[in-house]
Amino acid sequence: MTKFVVKPGVKNLQHEDEKLVTTHCCYCGMQCGMHIRVNKKSGNVVGVEPRYDWPVTNGKMCPKGVTAYQTVDHPDRIKTPLIKKNGKFVESTWEEALDLIEKNYKRLQSHYGKDALSVFGGVSMTNEKCYLVGKYARVALGTRYVDYNGRFCMSSAAGGFMKTLGLDRGSTLPWPELEHTDCFFMAGTNTAECHPTTIQWLWKARDKGAKMIVADPRETPTARIADVHLDLKAGTDSALANGMMHLLIKEGYVDEAYVQTRCHNFEELKEAVKAFTPEKTAMITGVDKEKIVKAATIFGRSPRSVVMFARGIEQQRKGVDNVCLYTSMALLRGQIGKFASGVATFTGQGNGQGGREHGQKADALPGYRKIDNPEHVAYVSDVWGIDPKEMPQAGVSAYEMFDHIQQGKIKAMHVICSNPAVSAPNNHYIWEGFKKLDFMVVSDFFLSETAEFADVVLPATTWAEDEGTTTNLEGRVIRIRKVKEPVGEAKTDWEIMQLIAERMGKKSFFPYTSVSDIYEEFRLASKGGKADYYGITYDRIEKEDGVFWPCPDEKHPGSPTMFTESFATEDGKANLAVVGWEEPGETPSEDYPHILTTGRVVFHYLSGTQTRRTPFLMEQCPEPYAEIHPEMAAKYRLNNGDRVVLTTKRGDITVPVKLTKAIRRDHIFVPYHWGKELSINKLTNPALDPTSRMPEFKVCAVRMQKA
Ligand SMILES: Nc1nc2c(c(=O)[nH]1)N[C@H]1C(S)=C(S)[C@@H](COP(=O)(O)OP(=O)(O)OC[C@H]3O[C@@H](n4cnc5c(=O)[nH]c(N)nc54)[C@H](O)[C@@H]3O)O[C@H]1N2
Ligand SMILES: Nc1nc2c(c(=O)[nH]1)N[C@H]1C(S)=C(S)[C@@H](COP(=O)(O)OP(=O)(O)OC[C@H]3O[C@@H](n4cnc5c(=O)[nH]c(N)nc54)[C@H](O)[C@@H]3O)O[C@H]1N2
Ligand code: SF4
Ligand SMILES: [Mo]
């Protein structure tokens, strides 16, 4: 389906020998609208055109989005299955690869039981594929061990929203409404680099007088344009949010009627925040008292505000507490469920929202059902056609799967659409785990650092070679379209899972001949669950510019604004967070005197397998570096570009320093998009949040020496 042009005065480029296919970017949760240019003769992808009529992004794209097409026909694509023989990969046929997988899976399960196998998924895949990963693990392989990379991404946001609001939908409002907001309170989100096409909405709001408050240890491009930059120490968000609520209550900025009728725990919260005076908050966070007061005053006086956050506050040992507290700030102001107001976490990966709702999580089933709830198990078993007794129990979280490898419980792993050799914390432990596995399979379209550990690598397709749906950061379900046929012998992830299911004697449970067959089953599997997609059809998505879940039936308009009348908790009331502040898992000491924090740059995406293969992006940002303040540099007699060794209790890395005043004097920031020797995750702390099991990527103690 091809649509052209659309913005008055702006014409999409169109060559005679090309066709345009309308789809969305494969990278972040913005899911910017785009048309992909395909050469009619060769069928190859040759370029991209922005989609001006996509209401969320209006033709805006970022440097990753405009170069994403270059990965599709990239020379590094894996074109046939690869089997490791004497330590080297050799090309093989699908028959040979599947034979080997069948033989090893059956051998391991007959020796060690069904749970000897495990699956590690990812959410750069469509809803259809993400849904199938859970079913593949539990029905085709019959194992309890399945989890996914969203554990390192959205899990604290999900846990926090579940606790406070009873439901985890990343944003409670649609993006175009942001234009009418009066105040943005943004914590731990580098929006300008990580969700760049959101900035247009902030600018529009700014033109109407809106204010921006940014809480970040770094003066990011986002903080630079803020009215107040709260330059807090990493790991002190709970104190900051409590301090903000202290002032909101003290200065009379609470929406009493809203809080009385729609929230629990207000009296307890009042007690709990009493201690967080501006003085105490300033002492813990390292932010000037005046700035804290100014931020609370702006936020408290704004009629319409949105509290926004991302991994900066979530990737902490207390990430769930942080989410609950910041969400409570929005509740105190009576903002959730109204026009141009609310709370939003920035969904990270392209399908980070949809991919976390439908059963890739260790303890979840489609539609946000729970595996420890017998009614939920009965419903999903019925859709899948299995005996509920056959449904495996809950497994363990992504990082904990590696503990189970060490304990000898997990013997094999199939990694689908993730690169934990780079992106999981405490890399050395992950690498040891992969080496210890008896058998390892990876589905990817590039030979990632993780794939290098595998016994068998299966060539998957890129997003441009298959169709389906994703759910963007607003909660809007959208269509991804097939642009071209797969390269070489690559197969889609769903076909691969189907083929392995067949080898495991479960073919009848995977009877799909097309993606829409899977989608129809998936709609039914989600029906009646908290994340209900039943009313969303491909047709409706097309006609309505996407449909927001929950959408329980085809007549339902979808839910752009959440919680207008009540919350999704049992009695409909939200739970205000009553929690204090605790130190991060690791604090500076004599041996490790500084704080290390990690994150992203605009030019690279996650573990970098795709963006490190994109020449333009590599020219812009070829290698990792340590961002440090000139004062810290002076103490170590370092000039810009000098190389340093950074060491934590878990590992070390050698990188050049980049001097900038845009970081706290006691912090070091390193982006994490590189592997092996250049992976900062050799150093990060795997301290896990007790509820979400999210590792503390954002804070650990580090030592620096001149190399
Ligand atoms: N360019 C680019 N864009 C991306 C991605 C990418 O890899 N590259 N990935 C996508 C994905 S999957 C995700 S999850 C999102 C992530 O999007 P973001 O969460 O916005 O990105 P990060 O760089 O991980 O962290 C955001 C900010 O948190 C700050 N921070 C660190 N520690 C703390 C703290 O203790 N408290 C507070 N308040 N702030 C802190 C960091 O300085 C950083 O500026 O981006 C998505 N978009
Ligand atoms: N230090 C530090 N570590 C972090 C973070 C941090 O802020 N700091 N952030 C964390 C976050 S938020 C995230 S989301 C994770 C992400 O970490 P990863 O899960 O490692 O993310 P990707 O790099 O996208 O890896 C996806 C892999 O699958 C491949 N792939 C892409 N699409 C498909 C597909 O459709 N099918 C298949 N089969 N393969 C595909 C890609 O080539 C790539 O090799 O990293 C986490 N790690
Ligand atoms: S903002 Fe995100 S979705 Fe949009 S072009 Fe950039 S990476 Fe792609
Ligand atoms: Mo993420």
Side-chain angles (χ1 to χ4, degrees):
M1 160 72 67
T2 310
K3 257 190 193 171
F4 302 103
V5 195
V6 193
K7 193 175 176 182
V10 185
K11 212 160 168 55
N12 277 123
L13 202 72
Q14 210 204 333
H15 296 285
E16 260 172 34
D17 54 354
E18 289 174 10
K19 65 170 181 169
L20 296 181
V21 183
T22 304
T23 189
H24 297 271
C25 176
C26 58
Y27 292 131
C28 84
M30 288 305 298
Q31 292 289 282
C32 297
M34 54 158 70
H35 308 283
I36 293 194
R37 292 166 50 196
V38 185
N39 183 286
K40 284 183 192 159
K41 232 192 237 142
S42 68
N44 284 345
V45 167
V46 293
V48 66
E49 282 287 300
R51 187 178 162 191
Y52 297 106
D53 67 337
W54 181 243
V56 191
T57 52
N58 293 325
K60 301 279 193 297
M61 290 176 71
C62 83
K64 294 179 301 304
V66 296
T67 49
Y69 75 91
Q70 295 175 8
T71 59
V72 182
D73 295 311
H74 196 285
D76 287 358
R77 284 288 301 274
I78 308 171
K79 296 200 179 70
T80 69
L82 304 174
I83 293 177
K84 204 178 264 164
K85 291 181 179 157
N86 303 320
K88 280 223 168 89
F89 283 118
V90 288
E91 295 192 349
S92 82
T93 62
W94 276 98
E95 271 314 294
E96 223 182 316
L98 291 166
D99 284 347
L100 193 64
I101 293 170
E102 178 186 342
K103 193 181 92 193
N104 280 288
Y105 279 5
K106 288 187 174 163
R107 172 179 64 84
L108 290 168
Q109 285 194 322
S110 71
H111 281 254
Y112 304 105
K114 296 236 165 192
D115 293 336
L117 309 187
S118 66
V119 180
F120 194 113
V123 288
S124 282
M125 291 185 285
T126 55
N127 285 315
E128 289 81 347
K129 290 170 183 165
C130 290
Y131 159 74
L132 213 60
V133 170
K135 182 174 177 186
Y136 165 70
R138 287 159 182 142
V139 179
L141 307 184
T143 179
R144 69 195 293 173
Y145 291 119
V146 53
D147 210 54
Y148 77 124
N149 67 4
R151 187 67 71 173
F152 301 150
C153 183
M154 306 303 299
S155 63
S156 288
F161 283 155
M162 284 291 190
K163 271 193 181 175
T164 44
L165 310 176
L167 179 67
D168 158 37
R169 209 195 68 186
S171 172
T172 65
L173 77 163
W175 241 228
E177 284 183 13
L178 293 175
E179 177 180 351
H180 305 284
T181 299
D182 303 305
C183 174
F184 302 94
F185 189 100
M186 311 175 79
T189 151
N190 184 3
T191 318
E193 290 199 73
C194 297
H195 298 88
T197 54
T198 288
I199 296 292
Q200 61 181 313
W201 298 111
L202 306 188
W203 285 133
K204 282 184 189 164
R206 292 287 292 264
D207 287 347
K208 297 180 184 151
K211 296 278 194 285
M212 258 174 86
I213 300 158
V214 172
D216 196 306
R218 299 187 303 140
E219 195 192 34
T220 58
T222 317
R224 210 176 298 146
I225 55 174
D227 297 274
V228 187
H229 173 208
L230 304 167
D231 52 344
L232 81 178
K233 278 188 208 158
T236 62
D237 291 274
S238 291
L240 179 68
N242 273 311
M244 291 292 297
M245 291 198 282
H246 172 104
L247 286 165
L248 294 179
I249 293 169
K250 190 167 154 224
E251 302 300 330
Y253 295 134
V254 173
D255 183 338
E256 298 273 351
Y258 183 98
V259 168
Q260 290 309 332
T261 52
R262 299 200 55 181
C263 305
H264 287 296
N265 307 337
F266 184 48
E267 292 309 316
E268 294 86 337
L269 180 133
K270 262 196 208 159
E271 262 320 291
V273 302
K274 260 190 191 147
F276 288 89
T277 58
E279 290 74 19
K280 179 173 170 181
T281 308
M283 201 186 69
I284 297 174
T285 60
V287 181
D288 289 347
K289 192 179 102 180
E290 290 68 32
K291 285 207 228 168
I292 296 169
V293 175
K294 186 175 172 193
T297 310
I298 293 175
F299 180 72
R301 288 184 182 164
S302 297
R304 288 184 194 140
S305 57
V306 181
V307 175
M308 307 175 110
F309 40 79
R311 304 310 84 74
I313 71 145
E314 297 165 16
Q315 291 172 330
Q316 299 187 25
R317 195 175 62 90
K318 291 285 171 184
V320 171
D321 284 357
N322 291 341
V323 170
C324 293
L325 286 161
Y326 280 123
T327 303
S328 297
M329 270 173 61
L331 288 167
L332 282 192
R333 289 285 305 131
Q335 294 293 332
I336 300 180
K338 294 180 183 166
F339 175 73
S341 321
V343 61
T345 181
F346 282 93
T347 291
Q349 298 172 80
N351 196 26
Q353 175 77 59
R356 73 179 184 263
E357 303 156 1
H358 302 292
Q360 273 197 93
K361 268 188 202 170
D363 59 349
L365 290 172
Y368 254 136
R369 289 186 170 85
K370 298 286 280 186
I371 214 160
D372 58 8
N373 178 323
E375 275 170 40
H376 292 184
V377 170
Y379 179 81
V380 175
S381 300
D382 186 44
V383 175
W384 287 353
I386 62 168
D387 184 333
K389 286 196 218 86
E390 287 168 31
M391 184 74 82
Q393 310 258 302
V396 297
S397 76
Y399 186 80
E400 289 164 301
M401 285 215 264
F402 291 84
D403 296 334
H404 285 233
I405 295 174
Q406 287 306 332
Q407 293 157 12
K409 291 181 192 154
I410 292 177
K411 301 284 183 191
M413 184 177 273
H414 185 176
V415 181
I416 308 174
C417 189
S418 182
N419 189 12
V422 176
S423 56
N426 194 14
N427 272 176
H428 289 294
Y429 189 61
I430 305 300
W431 301 344
E432 280 165 30
F434 285 147
K435 284 189 207 145
K436 188 157 190 217
L437 284 173
D438 194 306
F439 187 66
M440 180 172 166
V441 184
V442 170
S443 301
D444 204 310
F445 43 76
F446 287 135
L447 196 69
S448 67
E449 287 78 0
T450 300
E452 287 183 27
F453 286 97
D455 298 290
V456 181
V457 181
L458 301 174
T461 53
T462 62
W463 98 113
E465 295 158 308
D466 194 13
E467 63 163 344
T469 60
T470 59
T471 307
N472 79 352
L473 85 174
E474 302 167 288
R476 191 192 298 248
V477 183
I478 58 179
R479 285 280 276 139
I480 302 299
R481 291 195 184 74
K482 182 167 171 173
V483 175
K484 60 167 301 227
E485 290 305 317
V487 302
E489 288 174 37
K491 288 187 192 294
T492 64
D493 292 294
W494 64 269
E495 288 170 311
I496 296 173
M497 289 187 267
Q498 203 174 20
L499 285 168
I500 298 177
E502 184 179 345
R503 296 303 191 106
M504 299 305 280
K506 302 285 180 182
K507 187 180 178 182
S508 62
F509 298 94
F510 296 80
Y512 321 109
T513 56
S514 68
V515 178
S516 57
D517 287 349
I518 305 172
Y519 188 72
E520 290 310 312
E521 182 184 298
F522 154 74
R523 278 175 67 201
L524 197 63
S526 78
K527 187 178 179 185
K530 281 196 166 181
D532 195 332
Y533 281 51
Y534 187 66
I536 306 175
T537 61
Y538 283 179
D539 258 7
R540 281 192 66 182
I541 298 175
E542 189 95 35
K543 289 194 190 106
E544 300 171 32
D545 276 341
V547 182
F548 289 77
W549 72 266
C551 182
D553 61 72
E554 287 186 44
K555 299 245 154 51
H556 190 283
S559 313
T561 309
M562 294 297 290
F563 313 124
T564 49
E565 305 296 327
S566 65
F567 294 97
T569 50
E570 247 166 52
D571 66 359
K573 283 188 170 191
N575 299 307
L576 290 166
V578 185
V579 273
W581 169 76
E582 269 179 40
E583 297 264 15
E586 227 174 58
T587 49
S589 60
E590 213 170 295
D591 287 344
Y592 305 97
H594 307 297
I595 292 176
L596 172 70
T597 190
T598 63
R600 298 161 165 75
V601 295
V602 68
F603 296 111
H604 284 287
Y605 189 67
L606 303 180
S607 73
T609 49
Q610 296 164 84
T611 50
R612 280 186 273 124
R613 287 184 166 87
T614 308
F616 170 75
L617 300 174
M618 277 304 269
E619 273 165 36
Q620 304 303 312
C621 184
E623 59 174 355
Y625 50 83
E627 227 176 72
I628 58 170
H629 196 278
E631 269 184 27
M632 189 189 280
K635 279 186 203 147
Y636 288 85
R637 299 174 191 284
L638 292 168
N639 293 312
N640 214 12
D642 285 350
R643 299 180 76 76
V644 292
V645 185
L646 302 177
T647 312
T648 69
K649 285 183 183 158
R650 294 155 295 277
D652 61 67
I653 189 173
T654 306
V655 284
V657 290
K658 192 168 175 176
L659 273 48
T660 171
K661 285 185 182 157
I663 185 165
R664 285 185 61 90
R665 288 165 173 74
D666 46 1
H667 282 42
I668 300 173
F669 169 84
V670 181
Y672 88 101
H673 311 289
W674 290 264
K676 300 182 180 170
E677 278 319 298
L678 295 179
S679 174
I680 192 62
N681 273 326
K682 289 184 291 174
L683 284 72
T684 48
N685 187 2
L688 303 182
D689 180 286
T691 316
S692 67
R693 318 309 283 161
M694 164 71 86
E696 197 152 57
F697 288 116
K698 288 293 186 265
V699 202
C700 67
V702 67
R703 171 169 71 231
M704 183 169 72
Q705 288 155 304
K706 203 164 177 168

